[in-house]
């Protein structure tokens, strides 16, 4: 493992803690006398006009469409690095987390559909339980420090990154509005220019970010969700350049964005999207099919899908169990992958757009909170037990 990879995997729980504080603060504000100010802030119009370019959105949409594009830029950078130098660099190493991620997305979706198949309006949220929150998941794992096997951290990181990439594919394919041919054409040209610059060994990050900004605007105006632009830019940034004295542009940008993503972008997103009014909440809502579909999908579907997919892949000879891990490790850690939180909330905002769907959004957030909190607690205790049993076996 390279030094850079090791630094990214170094135990740190601060991002997860800040996410919890941000979400809790939003929940408190949304149910306090300050609620009108909280919602007015999110609804505050922000207008950007440069010549003929005119973008007007409220603050909430700037967070969801703008700041989250930077988060997905980081996802693109991480996936590319893992494909070239990390846990996904060879077929045999990549298949185990790839299969796990696919199983962990498919089974929760099937469970959601099982609960909500007779309600076409609610079915729009089918992708909500398919997501995994990488910051929270790795944050809980970091609580174990050196007791957690290094390969378990690599496995979970690769799984979460692939899961995020799967979320991007879902967003690009299923969550788009009326498409603009002109804007899509401009987006294609901007993407082609980015990869042409890569092929010509351009190493200046400013050139990629300038074209990337044009790509973001084009994708935003095209009807495809703007976060897709972030991943495209991430894949275009070169990991290596021919001039050996030049530092890796990808690594420089990744390490530049990483703290902003962990300590600003994701907490701001959580603060902007976690304010659920609970005045009309009742325990009966917990048994609503939408809530059950999401919560059960995260809490049961994720570990079931990941563990079953890994077991079948190993038995079929498609993938090999990483050295030092057992299915006990896989199952315990797969429960942690049920922490959907920010990614699930993000997909919720796309699945149920508009004020007319606010009730479905609030129910979905409640379900995400329930499923994610229980997954974090149960995953922590399951992994604690697994590591204790492993320690006892090693002593014998």
């Amino acid at each position: 493992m390279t030094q850079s990879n090791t630094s990214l995997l170094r135990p740190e729980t601060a991002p997860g803690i800040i996410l919890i504080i941000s979400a809790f603060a939003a929940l408190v504000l949304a149910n306090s006398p300050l609620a009108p100010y909280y919602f007015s802030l999110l609804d505050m119009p922000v207008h950007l006009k440069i010549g003929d370019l005119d973008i007007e959105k409220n603050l909430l949409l700037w967070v969801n469409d703008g700041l989250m594009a930077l988060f997905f830029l980081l996802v693109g950078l991480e996936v590319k690095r893992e494909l070239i130098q990390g846990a996904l660099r060879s077929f045999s190493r990549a298949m185990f987390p790839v299969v796990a991620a696919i199983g962990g997305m498919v089974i929760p979706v099937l469970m959601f559909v099982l609960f909500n198949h007779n309600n076409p309006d609610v079915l729009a949220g089918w992708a909500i339980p398919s997501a995994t929150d990488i910051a929270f998941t790795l944050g809980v794992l970091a609580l174990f420090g050196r007791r957690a096997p290094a390969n378990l951290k690599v496995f979970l990181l690769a799984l979460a990154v692939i899961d995020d990439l799967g979320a991007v594919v879902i967003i690009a394919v299923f969550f788009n509005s009326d498409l603009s041919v002109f804007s899509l054409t401009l987006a294609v040209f901007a993407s082609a220019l980015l990869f042409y610059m890569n092929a010509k060994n351009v190493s200046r990050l400013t050139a990629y970010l300038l074209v990337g900004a044009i790509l973001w605007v084009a994708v935003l105006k095209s009807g495809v969700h703007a976060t897709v632009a972030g991943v495209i830019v991430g894949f275009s940034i070169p990991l290596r350049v021919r001039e050996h004295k030049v530092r890796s542009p990808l690594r420089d940008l990744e390490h530049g964005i990483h703290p902003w993503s962990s300590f600003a972008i994701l907490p701001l997103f959580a603060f902007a999207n976690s304010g659920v009014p609970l005045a009309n909440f009742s325990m009966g809502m917990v048994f609503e099919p939408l809530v059950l579909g999401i919560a059960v999908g995260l809490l049961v579907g994720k570990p079931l899908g990941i563990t079953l997919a890994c077991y079948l892949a190993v038995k079929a000879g498609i993938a090999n169990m990483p050295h030092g891990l057992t299915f006990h490790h896989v199952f315990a850690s797969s429960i942690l992958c049920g922490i959907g939180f920010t990614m699930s909330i993000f997909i919720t905002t796309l699945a149920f757009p508009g004020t007319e769907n606010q009730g479905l959004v609030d129910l979905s957030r409640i379900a995400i909170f329930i499923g994610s909190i229980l997954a974090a607690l149960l995953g922590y205790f399951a992994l604690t037990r697994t590591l204790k049993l492993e320690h006892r076996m090693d002593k014998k």
Side-chain angles (χ1 to χ4, degrees):
M1 184 182 296
T2 66
Q3 179 64 33
S4 178
N5 284 350
T6 302
S7 66
L8 283 180
L9 290 171
R10 191 163 46 212
E12 53 178 52
T13 58
I17 294 172
I18 292 174
L19 273 177
I20 293 173
I21 294 173
S22 300
F24 183 72
L27 200 59
V28 170
L29 283 174
N31 293 278
S32 74
L34 297 175
Y37 300 100
Y38 169 76
F39 290 110
S40 294
L41 175 65
L42 297 181
D43 200 41
M44 181 177 66
V46 179
H47 194 184
L48 174 65
K49 184 173 176 61
I50 304 174
D52 292 332
L53 174 64
D54 191 356
I55 304 175
E56 184 173 5
K57 293 177 175 290
N58 62 25
L59 186 61
L60 175 62
L61 290 178
W62 275 103
V63 171
N64 292 352
D65 293 345
L67 290 183
M68 287 302 283
L70 292 176
F71 168 74
F72 280 102
L73 167 58
L74 179 62
V75 170
L77 295 170
E78 289 178 337
V79 171
K80 181 172 181 176
R81 176 176 51 76
E82 292 295 329
L83 285 169
I84 296 175
Q85 291 185 340
L88 307 178
R89 68 178 180 268
S90 68
F91 182 81
S92 59
R93 291 169 63 93
M95 281 310 296
F96 196 75
V98 166
V99 167
I102 293 173
M105 297 182 79
V106 171
I107 299 300
V109 169
L110 293 178
M111 286 191 167
F112 181 91
V113 172
L114 181 65
F115 279 100
N116 297 280
H117 64 276
N118 58 350
N119 191 334
D121 294 331
V122 172
L123 271 179
W126 60 270
I128 295 172
S130 68
T132 293
D133 188 305
I134 187 171
F136 258 133
T137 302
L138 294 179
V140 175
L141 184 65
L143 295 174
F144 294 93
R146 294 182 178 178
R147 289 182 294 157
N151 274 345
L152 182 60
K153 299 174 185 178
V154 173
F155 165 66
L156 269 185
L157 175 63
L159 192 162
V161 167
I162 296 166
D163 192 291
D164 281 347
L165 185 59
V168 172
V169 173
I170 289 173
I171 291 167
V173 175
F174 297 101
F175 296 110
N176 51 62
S177 53
D178 295 333
L179 299 179
S180 166
V181 175
F182 173 77
S183 296
L184 275 177
T185 303
L186 181 59
V188 170
F189 275 111
S191 301
L193 179 57
L194 285 169
F195 288 102
Y196 176 78
M197 291 161 54
N198 183 301
K200 290 298 182 180
N201 210 40
V202 175
S203 60
R204 289 186 177 274
L205 281 174
T206 50
Y208 289 96
L209 295 179
L210 179 60
V211 179
I214 296 172
L215 174 62
W216 177 80
V217 173
V219 174
L220 180 69
K221 295 288 189 178
S222 72
V224 178
H225 200 270
T227 51
V228 175
V231 177
I232 295 173
V233 176
F235 272 109
S236 72
I237 305 294
L239 178 61
R240 307 186 189 95
V241 290
R242 295 193 189 103
E243 294 83 1
H244 294 294
K245 293 183 180 180
V246 177
R247 296 173 58 179
S248 166
L250 186 148
R251 292 185 184 281
D252 285 348
L253 186 57
E254 182 180 4
H255 287 287
I257 296 177
H258 197 271
W260 285 100
S261 174
S262 298
F263 297 104
I265 294 174
L266 289 179
L268 279 172
F269 175 82
F271 179 78
N273 289 275
S274 299
V276 181
L278 299 176
N280 297 320
F281 175 77
S282 66
M283 285 304 296
M285 291 181 179
V286 175
F287 300 99
E288 290 280 342
L290 173 59
V291 175
L292 289 174
I294 294 172
V296 174
L298 290 171
L299 189 60
V300 179
K302 275 287 183 181
L304 177 62
I306 291 170
T307 306
L308 182 61
C310 289
Y311 177 81
L312 293 176
V314 170
K315 289 299 181 181
I318 298 173
N320 298 319
M321 178 73 70
H323 177 72
L325 299 188
T326 66
F327 277 110
H328 294 289
H329 291 115
V330 172
F331 176 71
S333 60
S334 70
I335 301 175
L336 292 178
C337 293
I339 307 174
F341 199 57
T342 51
M343 288 306 299
S344 291
I345 292 174
F346 182 64
I347 294 176
T348 297
T349 64
L350 303 180
F352 303 124
T355 55
E356 69 275 9
N357 288 316
Q358 191 58 47
L360 295 177
V361 171
D362 290 343
L363 275 179
S364 298
R365 289 172 180 168
I366 290 170
I368 292 165
F369 291 157
I370 293 172
S372 297
I373 291 170
L374 290 177
L377 294 174
L378 293 177
Y380 176 81
F381 288 119
L383 196 52
T384 298
R385 179 174 175 78
T386 297
L387 295 177
K388 282 183 179 179
L389 290 174
E390 180 186 34
H391 182 65
R392 290 175 188 169
M393 293 297 292
D394 290 340
K395 282 188 173 182
K396 291 183 179 180

